[in-house]
Structure formats: structure tokens, C-alpha cells
Amino acid sequence: MSDQEPGAATGTRDKDYDLIWFVEASLSNALRMQTYIDDAERDGDGEGLCQLNWAASQG
């Protein structure tokens, strides 16, 4: 499977695909960030937790 977005071969972009891809990527990144925060809390990593919470608040 190619990592190339649809429309690259034809030159016609699919706006619905682009929107769905953006939302999915954003949600995936938010879940990943929460996993990192949970790991830092579990491991007692105060510095990492502070940095992760700061990064999460920037969005």
C-alpha cells in the first residue's frame, strides 16, 4: 500500500478524504499523548508529566 494521498496521481484532491484523514490523525495523536501522560504518571516521572501536560495544553 502506498503512503501517497489520493489525488497525487490524478491531480484531483478529495476534500472529504482530506478532512477525514486530518480528524483521524488528530484523534490518534491525542490518544497517543494521553498514553504518554498516563505512563509518566504511573512511573512517577514528574518532569516528563509536566512537559507532556504543557504540550497537551498547547493544542
Side-chain angles (χ1 to χ4, degrees):
M1 182 176 240
S2 174
D3 289 335
Q4 201 171 34
E5 288 187 49
T10 64
T12 303
R13 300 208 44 132
D14 183 339
K15 292 178 185 176
D16 292 333
Y17 174 86
D18 291 345
L19 179 60
I20 291 168
W21 178 89
F22 178 81
V23 170
E24 188 276 332
S26 297
L27 291 172
S28 177
N29 288 333
L31 289 172
R32 185 176 304 118
M33 180 68 74
Q34 187 59 51
T35 299
Y36 295 155
I37 290 170
D38 292 344
D39 289 348
E41 286 177 341
R42 183 192 66 231
D43 295 341
D45 182 358
E47 182 180 353
L49 184 58
C50 182
Q51 291 174 351
L52 289 165
N53 280 322
W54 177 84
S57 72
Q58 297 305 302

